Amino acid sequence: MSASLHTSFLHSSYDNPFMNASGVHCMTTKELEELSESKAGGFITKSATTLQRDGNPEPRYFSVPLGSINSMGLPNAGFEYYMSYVLDYQEKNPNLNPPFFSVAGMSVEENLKLLRRIQDSEFYGVTELNLSCPNVPGKPQVAYDFELTKEILTKVFEFFKKPLGVKLPPYFDFAHFNIMTDILNQFPLCYVNCINSIGNGLYIDSENESVVIRPKDGFGGIGGDYVKPTALANVRAFYTRLNPNIKIIGTGGIRSGQDAFEHLLCGATMLQVGTELYKEGPSIFDRLECELKDIMNKKGYATIDEFRGKLKGL
């Protein structure tokens, strides 16, 4: 019997756990439609701000041998563009799961305003609040400011009653895992997404003795193979600490079925693909599905639930 990748997530059923990572192949309705027609189990919109944003000057993304570096600057088509798409998708596909809807306001007030608009809308899917973005110049990104994170979530859940997850940056210290877990466990979150890119890396073109992206003097977020060990650590750390009702989406360094298997073994329920999707396009989901099934068949696993979260210690 061939292994099944069927995944239950927030009372919905998905053919497999694979999704795009917000920011990759989801800027336009054309790209979103290509995701909906691919083998991805689900998909998510580009993180939206209230108004359309052009983002940072190019070049702002650069593929490197083991991954990528980027400083995109939140380019997106604006909240109403994506809201119109997801509502239209719901109407045309009432028997399918709607896309996840990602928002990333440029301030606390903007995030609250966007979430109020979602709460008041007919959208019945899952919303992702990106807390891995800087909101105030000179301040760290929101999720590295623990007091601000708690303040935002307190304000959000005073009015937001629909399914909500949060996108988190990577953490590197057990104390930070513990502090953030204590905060997250106080709220009716559906999931946490671990991780966004590792911030402020630097890649050098030694031939030209220069950086490879224009914004921020070449500093940018690192993705791909470079970040997989950090992503796995964050998935595992939060899986073993969070309330079991809060699921984990694993993101970071997934380019093969083996990578997907490791994220699931650490406790992830859904999986998002970023850098490798950018490089290969939506056909990657066919390959990942086949590779993960092959691994499960060789190990004798009929379902993902048989091994999810069951990472062994030594």
Side-chain angles (χ1 to χ4, degrees):
M1 180 183 296
S2 178
S4 169
L5 300 187
H6 175 268
T7 299
S8 295
F9 187 73
L10 310 185
H11 310 297
S12 294
S13 179
Y14 296 85
D15 290 340
N16 64 62
F18 295 111
M19 302 174 60
N20 65 303
S22 180
V24 182
H25 209 91
C26 56
M27 175 80 79
T28 65
T29 56
K30 178 179 182 293
E31 290 180 331
L32 289 165
E33 281 298 294
E34 289 171 353
L35 288 174
S36 75
E37 294 167 1
S38 76
K39 282 293 189 72
F43 63 108
I44 187 168
T45 66
K46 184 76 174 70
S47 292
T49 52
T50 305
L51 301 176
Q52 180 265 345
R53 283 177 57 88
D54 292 333
N56 289 336
E58 297 181 342
R60 58 193 184 188
Y61 180 99
F62 192 83
S63 292
V64 299
L66 293 178
S68 61
I69 182 170
N70 82 88
S71 179
M72 302 298 289
L74 269 178
N76 71 95
F79 179 86
E80 291 299 336
Y81 180 90
Y82 301 109
M83 176 58 79
S84 295
Y85 174 78
V86 297
L87 292 179
D88 185 59
Y89 187 93
Q90 284 181 175
E91 184 176 350
K92 292 179 178 177
N93 304 280
N95 297 319
L96 298 179
N97 296 315
F100 287 51
F101 194 148
S102 177
V103 295
M106 302 301 289
S107 67
V108 173
E109 293 72 22
E110 185 178 5
N111 276 324
L112 295 173
K113 185 178 79 169
L114 295 176
L115 290 174
R116 284 194 180 94
R117 291 169 72 175
I118 294 174
Q119 177 63 37
D120 294 339
S121 75
E122 297 300 316
F123 178 63
Y124 54 75
V126 181
T127 301
E128 180 169 284
L129 173 60
N130 190 344
L131 293 180
S132 186
C133 287
N135 279 167
V136 180
K139 296 285 187 178
Q141 54 182 284
V142 172
Y144 285 151
D145 185 329
F146 299 119
E147 290 183 4
L148 181 58
T149 297
K150 184 175 181 179
E151 177 187 337
I152 290 175
L153 293 177
T154 298
K155 290 179 178 178
V156 165
F157 284 108
E158 288 175 354
F159 67 89
F160 200 83
K161 307 303 179 187
K162 296 181 177 182
L164 181 72
V166 291
K167 179 77 169 281
L168 297 179
Y171 297 95
F172 304 95
D173 193 291
F174 281 152
H176 294 160
F177 290 133
N178 294 335
I179 293 168
M180 182 54 76
T181 299
D182 287 344
I183 293 170
L184 299 174
N185 276 337
Q186 296 176 40
F187 300 98
L189 288 163
C190 293
Y191 72 88
V192 299
N193 187 343
C194 305
I195 58 174
N196 206 337
S197 56
I198 296 179
N200 293 322
L202 192 65
Y203 192 85
I204 303 298
D205 176 351
S206 58
E207 181 70 25
N208 293 311
E209 302 179 15
S210 73
V211 299
V212 295
I213 57 174
R214 186 178 303 278
K216 296 169 60 176
D217 291 325
F219 284 74
I222 301 296
D225 288 4
Y226 295 111
V227 309
K228 190 181 82 167
T230 299
L232 294 176
N234 277 257
V235 169
R236 189 62 180 172
F238 283 109
Y239 177 77
T240 56
R241 287 167 171 79
L242 284 171
N243 180 323
N245 292 327
I246 303 177
K247 304 304 180 184
I248 310 290
I249 294 181
T251 307
I254 297 176
R255 61 182 301 193
S256 70
Q258 182 68 39
D259 301 322
F261 181 82
E262 292 173 11
H263 268 269
L264 295 167
L265 194 63
C266 285
T269 298
M270 299 288 281
L271 306 170
Q272 291 187 357
V273 185
T275 294
E276 203 62 25
L277 170 59
Y278 187 96
K279 293 182 178 183
E280 290 188 36
S283 63
I284 187 177
F285 295 112
D286 297 75
R287 178 173 66 77
L288 291 175
E289 183 179 45
C290 290
E291 290 178 1
L292 180 55
K293 280 185 176 180
D294 285 346
I295 291 171
M296 291 172 61
N297 286 331
K298 288 175 183 177
K299 289 179 172 287
Y301 291 125
T303 68
I304 292 173
D305 286 337
E306 293 175 19
F307 66 90
R308 177 188 287 109
K310 295 180 181 179
L311 181 68
K312 300 171 185 175
L314 296 180

